[in-house]
Amino acid sequence: MTDQDSGDGAQRLFAEAARTDKPDLATLCLLLGELVAPGRGAMDRDEGERAVDEGQIELDRLTGELPFATHRGPVDWAVTLRALLGERLGFHGDRDDYERLESSQLGNVLRRRRGLPILLSVVWIEVARRAGAPVHGVALPGHFVVGFGEPDGEHVLVDPFAGGRLMSEQEAELLVAGATGRPLSRAMLQPAPPLEIVSRVLNNIRSWAAQRPEHTDVALAAVELGLLLPHHPARLRYERARLLVERGDFVGGARGLEEYATLVAAMEPQAAEAAHREARAARARLN
């Protein structure tokens, strides 16, 4: 499956949701969480819609548990969300969650109340947004957090992975310096668009699967969903073709390698030639 061939089931639903003028973050994360499940075969549109409806209903329910108030500032919003999600309901994460695929599946995160920083942040963003809070995701290098307020004005950062702990700017600077060796920049505090968040979730899933050779099905599903996003790196096509070969689809893999080689030939002739060699080797394995 490529961005030109998005299938007829839940994958097509994902592609349609990703290509709307205002992509819905919860819809996309709920769908991808189902579509990357190990052993998942074809998933029809009705199944995908049911999964989305169940997750959206739960997010609505969580929002309904927030106390009503008016004229909240960024800190008030952060403290209110922390009291509900972090303290009363126990949404948080720990290091063991990095070893679990469930931590990247929004439906499972809503059920378990555990997850990776970025998925816990999606819960916070979606609940806060429904309540009318000025909220956005902040893709700090190496650690996703949530911002309340205006990035260039009054704002506060919270860490859902730590149960909603408020972060000072100094703490954010130390986190960025530890991850990159560079200082915190204003650009790093700008809102992360929904498709950027979805792409980052898929990258996490691909990284998880890459360490587990028995889960090439998960890796392939994540790559194919990445190809359905409006903008994606050409390298994903190469990764998909390699996975097909690894899974024994030598014809499909060879064809994908050749398509990738054609795509990058003008800018990366050496990569194109290497892909052609791999395609020939894949076809030779048929004999």
Side-chain angles (χ1 to χ4, degrees):
M1 182 176 61
T2 68
D3 49 335
Q4 287 78 31
D5 176 19
S6 56
D8 295 321
Q11 292 91 344
R12 188 173 188 85
L13 188 61
F14 179 91
E16 292 168 359
R19 293 172 184 272
T20 61
D21 290 339
K22 294 183 178 180
D24 185 85
L25 177 60
T27 293
L28 290 165
C29 287
L30 288 164
L31 279 171
L32 78 85
E34 295 295 322
L35 289 166
V36 300
R40 165 69 74 183
M43 184 179 184
D44 66 32
R45 191 181 187 95
D46 287 344
E47 290 179 291
E49 289 176 343
R50 280 196 297 273
V52 170
D53 288 345
E54 289 171 5
Q56 297 280 19
I57 288 169
E58 176 63 7
L59 289 166
D60 290 343
R61 187 189 70 78
L62 294 174
T63 304
E65 296 194 32
L66 283 170
F68 178 77
T70 58
H71 308 296
R72 289 189 179 117
V75 173
D76 290 335
W77 275 114
V79 170
T80 299
L81 267 292
R82 180 182 65 192
L84 173 65
L85 296 177
E87 296 173 0
R88 182 151 75 84
L89 298 181
F91 281 92
H92 72 286
D94 62 37
R95 300 310 302 180
D96 289 344
D97 291 311
Y98 284 88
E99 302 302 316
R100 302 177 67 109
L101 179 62
E102 294 98 322
S103 301
S104 292
Q105 297 171 294
L106 182 55
N108 278 322
V109 172
L110 287 169
R111 286 186 286 272
R112 297 176 61 242
R113 300 181 181 178
R114 299 280 297 274
L116 295 187
I118 192 167
L119 269 298
L120 290 166
S121 293
V122 169
V123 174
W124 275 64
I125 292 166
E126 288 297 310
V127 172
R129 179 183 64 79
R130 284 164 166 76
V135 65
H136 53 275
V138 181
L140 294 179
H143 196 72
F144 204 97
V145 297
V146 172
F148 288 92
E150 297 298 325
D152 297 319
E154 183 185 3
H155 71 276
V156 63
L157 299 178
V158 299
D159 184 0
F161 192 72
R165 181 177 60 84
L166 274 63
M167 294 179 65
S168 69
E169 191 151 316
Q170 290 72 26
E171 288 175 312
E173 288 173 351
L174 287 172
L175 189 153
V176 170
T180 68
R182 295 184 286 114
L184 176 71
S185 69
R186 304 315 300 178
M188 294 177 185
L189 299 175
Q190 296 307 303
L195 293 184
E196 179 183 320
I197 296 174
V198 170
S199 180
R200 190 156 164 166
V201 172
L202 289 171
N203 287 344
N204 288 343
I205 293 169
R206 288 163 52 216
S207 296
W208 178 90
Q211 300 172 43
R212 296 164 176 82
E214 70 276 17
H215 283 305
T216 56
D217 57 336
V218 174
L220 182 60
V223 168
E224 291 188 332
L225 290 174
L227 287 167
L228 295 179
L229 299 178
H231 305 289
H232 55 261
R235 189 74 179 177
L236 275 183
R237 295 174 182 269
Y238 175 75
E239 189 172 336
R240 177 181 182 272
R242 290 287 303 273
L243 283 166
L244 290 176
V245 172
E246 187 175 344
R247 290 171 59 80
D249 182 357
F250 303 124
V251 173
R255 185 184 304 117
L257 287 163
E258 289 160 352
E259 290 171 354
Y260 169 76
T262 300
L263 185 66
V264 302
M267 298 295 293
E268 301 178 62
Q270 291 182 330
E273 179 52 37
H276 278 305
R277 287 197 300 270
E278 290 185 59
R280 290 192 293 270
R283 291 189 185 280
R285 293 175 69 176
L286 290 169
N287 300 326

